[in-house]
Amino acid sequence: MAAVEGRDAAAADSGGVQPKYDAEFTDNVIAATGPNAHPRLKQIMPSLLRHLHDFAREVDLTVAEWMVGVDLINESGRMSDDKRNETAMLSDVLGLESLVDEITSKLLISARSGGDGSGRPQVTPSTVLGPFYRVDAPILPNGSSIITAPQDSAWYQKAAPMLAYVSGRVTSAQSGRPVAGASLDVWLAGPNGLYEQQDPDVPDMNLRGRFRTDEAGRYALRCLRPTAYPIPEDGPAGRLLTLLDRQPYRPAHIHFIVEAPGHHSLTTQYFDADDPHISDDTVFAVKKELLVRFQERTGDKDARWSAMCDFVLSEG
Ligand code: BEZ
Ligand code: FE
C-alpha cells in the first residue's frame, strides 16, 4: 500500500498523469550493458533501445504483431544466400539502405572534394549496392560485351533492340586528372527485369563484367539499355510492399563499383533519365546527378543506344 501511495505521489508530482507503461523499463534495459561492451555499441545502443521501445509503446505493439515481424526477418534470413540478399531488400524498401548510404558518404566525402566553390568537379554520389551484386564477375577488355547469352536465344532476340554502348571517364575530384587503372565492376538486369542469378534461361554472369580504365582514364563496354523492374514479390520485401499498397518498380539503371588505388571506392548506379519510374523508385535511391540520357547510336550494328557514364572519385 505504501508503494502504491508512493507511485500516486510521484504521479501527482508529474501533473497527475500516470505513465501507461513501466516508466523505468527502458532505462533498466540500457543499464544492463556491461562496462566491457564494445565501445561503438555502448555509444549507439541506448539510442536504438529508446527508439525501439518508444515505437512499441507509441503504437501499442502486441505480442502477435511482434511475432509477425520476427517471422518476417526469419524468413528473409532463410531466403538469403550469396545470390540474393532478401534481408537487405527488406531494409531497402524501408529506405534504410539509401539513408545509411547518404550518411556514410557524408562522413567520407569532406567539403574539400566538391561543392566548395573551388570549381573542382563534384564527387560522383554513391547510391545503394542492392541485393544482387556478385563478386568475381569476368574481367574483360575495354570495348567488349558483358552479354554472354547466345545470339540465337529467345532472351537475346528480346534484348536486341536494347543493345547499348556505354563509355566514360574516371577522374580525380581533387586534381581533375584522369585516373588510369581504375576498375569498374558493372552489372544490370536483363530486358525481362531479371538479374542472371534470378533467370534460369541465361548463362552464369550474363550482364556482369569488370573493366579497367586506360591511360586517359577511359573505359568502354557493350551491354543493354537497362529496363525498369519490380523487386521480387516472392518474399517478405515484396509482401510488405503489397501490404503497404506500394508499387514495386525500380527505374532502369546500371550498377557500378568504381575502385582505384589512392581513392575512395564508389558504389553507385546510373539511371535512365527517360524511365517512367524515375520519380518513384521503390527503394528511394535515385539522385539527380546520376541521371543519364541514352542517345540513338548510328553506324554501329551492335548497339542501337549509347550513354556516357563518367565518375569522379575522391582521393584519400
Ligand atoms: C537493385 O538495384 O538491384 C536493387 C536495390 C535494392 C532493392 C532491390 C534491388
Ligand atoms: Fe538493380
Side-chain angles (χ1 to χ4, degrees), residues 230-265:
I231 68 158
E233 286 161 82
D234 60 341
R239 234 176 27 248
L240 186 60
L241 287 184
T242 306
L243 288 168
L244 291 172
D245 188 23
R246 277 178 48 185
Q247 72 83 21
Y249 275 83
R250 293 224 61 214
H253 58 274
I254 304 178
H255 292 263
F256 296 88
I257 296 176
V258 188
E259 293 177 304
H263 296 77
H264 291 293
S265 68

Side-chain angles (χ1 to χ4, degrees), residues 89 92 130-132 195 229 231 250 253 255 269 283:
M89 199 144 63
D92 286 329
F132 296 115
Y195 285 88
Y229 61 82
I231 68 158
R250 293 224 61 214
H253 58 274
H255 292 263
Q269 303 174 26
V283 303

